[in-house]
Amino acid sequence: MDMLLVKKAQRNDTAAFIQLIEENKTALYKAAKSYLSSEEDIADVMQDTILSAYEHIGELKTASYFKTWLTRILINRCTDMLRQQRQTVSIELTEEPAAPQKESEYEFYELLKELPQSDRAIFLLYYGEGFNTREVAEILSMNENTVKSRLKRGRKKLAQAISY
């Protein structure tokens, strides 16, 4: 990611901010998809995330952490939405997710279903988006050792699921 682009966006360059969002929109969608099943909810969360990021980009202290910062905002919005849904109505877990673009993505999402909901985001961020364990821990507000142990436990569970 171009740190110069982040710096421009921090100086109210709207075109630079739009370019940053374009570069990260697929990663945002995938992260939101790991939390939410409704395409409408995902769109709402992404819109809220972009608006919040635009309003607060000046508060980002380190330009190199833009993607981590943006993902953290998105995850906070997802958990807020899930909390609101639980308070008003029970969540429909039977809705099928949208079809992934590639067969390998489909297989990845099918495998993720084998994991507890709390571990899916870890796997998506680590394997799907390429964040390291420290970044995943920061995004999800967890201890890095917790992320490592959940990855290890999850890999064992997925290995068992594959061998059946």
Side-chain angles (χ1 to χ4, degrees):
M1 179 167 339
D2 186 2
M3 297 314 120
L4 183 61
L5 209 52
V6 175
K7 298 260 186 223
K8 284 181 176 180
Q10 287 181 311
R11 290 190 302 270
N12 297 323
D13 183 334
T14 305
F17 181 79
I18 291 170
Q19 187 174 344
L20 285 169
I21 295 302
E22 283 297 317
E23 290 174 5
N24 289 284
K25 71 180 180 185
T26 302
L28 290 175
Y29 176 82
K30 289 178 181 178
K33 189 77 175 156
S34 74
Y35 280 85
L36 307 169
S37 57
S38 161
E39 291 297 320
E40 293 82 15
D41 290 346
I42 292 169
D44 287 346
V45 162
M46 287 182 64
Q47 183 178 359
D48 289 347
T49 298
I50 293 166
L51 179 61
S52 181
Y54 184 75
E55 291 172 344
H56 299 283
I57 193 163
E59 299 168 21
L60 177 63
K61 291 175 180 52
T62 308
S64 61
Y65 289 130
F66 177 79
K67 185 175 181 180
T68 303
W69 175 75
L70 187 64
T71 305
R72 179 75 239 162
I73 293 170
L74 177 93
I75 289 172
N76 286 339
R77 295 294 182 269
C78 288
T79 54
D80 289 347
M81 179 171 281
L82 288 172
R83 196 175 307 114
Q84 288 172 343
Q85 288 175 346
R86 272 189 225 114
Q87 288 173 352
T88 57
V89 98
S90 70
I91 300 172
E92 273 295 319
L93 295 178
T94 57
E95 186 174 334
E96 284 296 311
Q101 303 293 338
K102 303 175 196 149
E103 181 148 340
S104 61
E105 285 183 15
Y106 175 78
E107 291 169 357
F108 179 69
Y109 282 105
E110 284 299 305
L111 273 177
L112 283 182
K113 290 179 182 177
E114 297 291 325
L115 298 173
Q117 179 68 33
S118 59
D119 293 350
R120 290 179 194 165
I122 294 171
F123 272 74
L124 178 78
L125 293 170
Y126 186 79
Y127 289 108
E129 296 305 319
F131 285 109
N132 63 40
T133 55
R134 181 190 50 78
E135 292 168 326
V136 172
E138 185 178 317
I139 290 168
L140 298 176
S141 299
M142 293 178 154
N143 181 303
E144 185 176 0
N145 288 329
T146 302
V147 171
K148 289 177 182 178
S149 66
R150 287 189 180 180
L151 281 169
K152 185 176 180 179
R153 192 174 349 128
R155 282 190 288 262
K156 282 183 182 178
K157 184 172 178 81
L158 292 177
Q160 290 172 345
I162 291 171
S163 65
Y164 284 111

